[in-house]
């Protein structure tokens, strides 16, 4: 069974950093396209970043230069390093597995709150 | 970026109603269009992929159609468990984008 479990969210001050983790089971992270999607409170879904199986990465303009997506193949885990955090980065962050250009598998989400 | 526009933003319907939600892309995306259902406090759930293919385990009352720039999600007979927010998503471009969502509420 495919499972994705996020962790690492919490309260951080503006300008601070957090690293989110997404532990995968039931499939191999390195062989799949993996993404981070966020949802601000009461708002819609926003694509944040994607990492391809070949290691190419892409970012939304809103996070480019501040966020870094990566994976640890030995731990079968996806990461999102978030630096220079802003109030507008406050959201639930989901990791998702891409299968044939759709997301059938999602984690439960982890809440990031940026506030002083 | 490809912009996705859903309509309506919300609707009220009764159990048993036929419900249609539309999604328009700012440029042609062929059939690279997916539909998700989200309930409060939960992750989105994939319903339809590639514009018209039903995800495994999803009831057949859900269907999708369209290609190019205009797409439709139809629920043939609304059930109590279908009250939720629905999102379209294009997967044509490198960093896919979502519509703003359509909230389906009980009339």
């Amino acid at each position: 069974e495919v499972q994705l479990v996020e962790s690492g969210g919490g309260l951080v001050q503006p300008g601070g950093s957090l690293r989110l983790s997404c532990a995968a089971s039931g499939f191999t992270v390195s062989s799949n396209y993996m993404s981070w999607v966020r949802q601000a409170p009461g708002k819609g879904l926003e694509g944040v970043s994607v990492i391809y199986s070949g290691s190419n990465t892409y970012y939304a303009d809103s996070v480019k230069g501040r966020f870094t997506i990566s994976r640890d193949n030995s731990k079968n885990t996806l990461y999102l390093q978030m630096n220079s955090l802003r109030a507008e980065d406050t959201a639930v962050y989901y990791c998702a597995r891409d299968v044939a250009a759709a997301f059938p598998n999602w984690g439960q989400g982890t809440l990031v709150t940026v506030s002083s | 970026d490809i912009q996705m526009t859903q309509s309506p933003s919300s609707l009220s319907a009764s159990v048993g109603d036929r419900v249609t939600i539309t999604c328009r892309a700012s440029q042609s995306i062929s059939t690279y269009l997916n539909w998700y259902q989200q309930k409060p406090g939960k992750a989105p759930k994939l319903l339809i992929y590639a514009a018209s293919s039903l995800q495994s385990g999803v009831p057949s009352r859900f269907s999708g159609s369209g290609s190019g720039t205009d797409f439709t999600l139809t629920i043939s007979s609304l059930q109590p468990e279908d009250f939720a927010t629905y999102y379209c998503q294009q997967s044509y471009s490198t960093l896919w984008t979502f519509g703003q969502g359509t909230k389906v509420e009980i009339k």
Side-chain angles (χ1 to χ4, degrees):
Chain A
E1 181 193 2
V2 171
Q3 259 199 320
L4 296 167
V5 179
E6 299 100 337
S7 61
L11 175 64
V12 61
Q13 292 188 336
S17 298
L18 275 179
R19 187 178 79 157
L20 306 183
S21 301
C22 171
S25 57
F27 72 100
T28 302
V29 165
S30 61
S31 300
N32 285 261
Y33 296 359
M34 297 293 298
S35 296
W36 287 98
V37 179
R38 68 184 179 184
Q39 187 169 37
K43 302 297 184 182
L45 301 166
E46 179 189 17
V48 173
S49 183
V50 58
I51 184 167
Y52 290 171
S53 51
S55 81
N56 283 356
T57 59
Y58 295 91
Y59 300 91
D61 287 344
S62 57
V63 307
K64 204 171 293 183
R66 300 187 298 123
F67 289 12
T68 303
I69 190 172
S70 64
R71 60 182 177 232
D72 184 329
N73 296 342
S74 66
K75 296 182 178 179
N76 209 33
T77 298
L78 177 73
Y79 299 102
L80 186 68
Q81 177 67 44
M82 305 186 295
N83 299 329
S84 303
L85 282 161
R86 306 167 179 167
E88 54 265 36
D89 296 319
T90 293
V92 173
Y93 285 73
Y94 297 99
C95 63
R97 177 194 182 203
D98 184 328
V99 178
F103 296 147
N105 307 118
W106 296 69
Q108 83 287 356
T110 187
L111 176 63
V112 172
T113 303
V114 184
S115 175
S116 54
Chain B
D1 291 359
I2 299 175
Q3 307 302 318
M4 307 301 294
T5 304
Q6 287 180 234
S7 60
S9 296
S10 64
L11 64 90
S12 295
S14 300
V15 173
D17 284 354
R18 182 181 182 88
V19 169
T20 298
I21 298 169
T22 64
C23 179
R24 175 164 288 177
S26 59
Q27 67 182 72
S28 178
I29 57 170
S30 183
T31 57
Y32 288 89
L33 191 285
N34 308 311
W35 289 98
Y36 299 85
Q37 175 194 69
Q38 188 180 33
K39 296 182 178 179
K42 299 294 187 181
K45 174 187 175 182
L46 178 65
L47 300 175
I48 302 288
Y49 63 95
S52 60
S53 296
L54 191 68
Q55 173 68 3
S56 175
V58 173
S60 59
R61 62 180 179 273
F62 290 94
S63 64
S65 65
S67 66
T69 60
D70 294 308
F71 302 87
T72 299
L73 173 70
T74 300
I75 309 172
S76 60
S77 177
L78 199 65
Q79 297 302 299
E81 60 269 30
D82 300 338
F83 292 96
T85 300
Y86 294 83
Y87 294 93
C88 63
Q89 176 222 3
Q90 64 81 16
S91 54
Y92 180 84
S93 66
T94 300
L95 198 58
W96 24 258
T97 46
F98 293 88
Q100 81 279 14
T102 296
K103 187 173 185 179
V104 177
E105 298 176 301
I106 302 172
K107 182 182 286 185

